[in-house]
Amino acid sequence: MKPRKASLERKSKETEIVAELNIDGKGQTKIKTPIGILDHMLELFAFHGYFDLNLEVKKADVQIDIHHTNEDVGIVLGKLFKKALDEKQGIRRFGYAFSPMESTLGRTVVDISGRGYLTLQVEGNVVIKDQEGYSISYLEHFLESFAHGLGATINVHISKPSEDLHTNIETVFKSLGLALDQATQIDPRREGTVPSTKGIID
Ligand SMILES: [Mn+2]
């Protein structure tokens, strides 16, 4: 099997990002964005997914706010996976995982279907405080950008959400890493073929 690696450089008027990924890695990371909580979450995600990920935001218009940076990191990460998976031969395609933290439970279901779609559902009506400049709506936008960049349907659910944003988000990024690790694994029964009745995933 050829190495499932990719690198990307994305420059826009708003941000400049360089990144490289090895899907079959050891979970080693070097992440540098201006959003501290996102660095922490991307480290957890890659560690639990056994992805080697280097990502650096070289330029960002954070003097406005973190909106563009948060979105563009999501896009780049999604595109990196898409590029490294190439024609997606032999992959399991589906993955799902749960991650508990105290009483909160994050669940992520992934289908690398070619269609970018995100659903994020937070159970109940707990008021989750914004923290470290981040919020649930930034999380949602990040995941949406990632789903579109990758071409995956991603369904995320947070049960018994905490008032603490960090806890909620951490269960999401850990379960996303675990689910994506499963979905990107090679199933020897599919060897050399694309896991779709259509014959392609584009
Ligand atoms: Mn943490």
Side-chain angles (χ1 to χ4, degrees):
M1 192 178 72
K2 63 177 178 180
R4 301 192 298 166
K5 295 180 180 175
S7 57
L8 265 182
E9 206 176 330
R10 184 180 189 273
K11 277 186 194 179
S12 74
K13 285 185 179 159
E14 295 158 351
T15 66
E16 283 182 32
I17 302 171
V18 289
E20 47 184 18
L21 169 74
N22 178 9
I23 289 186
D24 304 295
K26 294 192 164 118
Q28 288 165 348
T29 56
K30 217 158 100 192
I31 316 271
K32 209 176 136 209
T33 81
I35 311 168
I37 190 169
L38 188 60
D39 288 12
H40 176 54
M41 297 303 158
L42 291 176
E43 280 163 15
L44 295 167
F45 158 78
F47 181 84
H48 293 291
Y50 295 90
F51 308 126
D52 289 341
L53 176 66
N54 294 342
L55 188 146
E56 189 184 346
V57 176
K58 300 232 175 211
K59 210 187 90 186
D61 60 355
V62 282
Q63 77 284 358
I64 302 172
D65 61 23
I66 64 167
H67 184 93
H68 299 135
T69 307
N70 182 56
E71 173 176 283
D72 293 352
V73 171
I75 292 171
V76 166
L77 191 65
K79 285 188 170 177
L80 264 182
F81 274 91
K82 186 179 165 82
K83 194 173 171 189
L85 287 170
D86 194 28
E87 291 179 356
K88 306 176 186 79
Q89 287 180 347
I91 63 165
R92 290 192 191 278
R93 183 178 146 176
F94 296 89
Y96 62 90
F98 294 83
S99 166
M101 197 168 174
E102 291 149 14
S103 60
T104 302
L105 183 67
R107 181 201 71 204
T108 301
V109 184
V110 175
D111 175 13
I112 306 172
S113 59
R115 289 177 297 274
Y117 197 94
L118 171 79
T119 306
L120 171 67
Q121 198 186 6
V122 183
E123 195 180 86
N125 42 22
V126 172
V127 178
I128 301 165
K129 296 178 216 124
D130 291 4
Q131 255 175 324
E132 300 155 64
Y134 215 73
S135 64
I136 288 289
S137 79
Y138 276 128
L139 169 71
E140 186 168 28
H141 194 56
F142 176 87
L143 293 172
E144 198 171 30
S145 308
F146 176 68
H148 283 282
L150 168 58
T153 305
I154 301 179
N155 189 299
V156 179
H157 185 92
I158 304 174
S159 299
K160 289 215 174 191
S162 164
E163 286 179 6
D164 174 49
L165 180 77
H166 192 123
T167 301
N168 297 306
I169 292 189
E170 193 155 325
T171 68
V172 172
F173 276 90
K174 282 176 177 162
S175 61
L176 178 65
L178 293 164
L180 201 62
D181 180 39
Q182 274 178 29
T184 57
Q185 287 295 306
I186 299 293
D187 185 332
R189 296 172 296 177
R190 288 259 187 249
E191 211 195 322
T193 64
V194 175
S196 168
T197 51
K198 288 189 266 187
I200 59 161
I201 298 175
D202 56 3

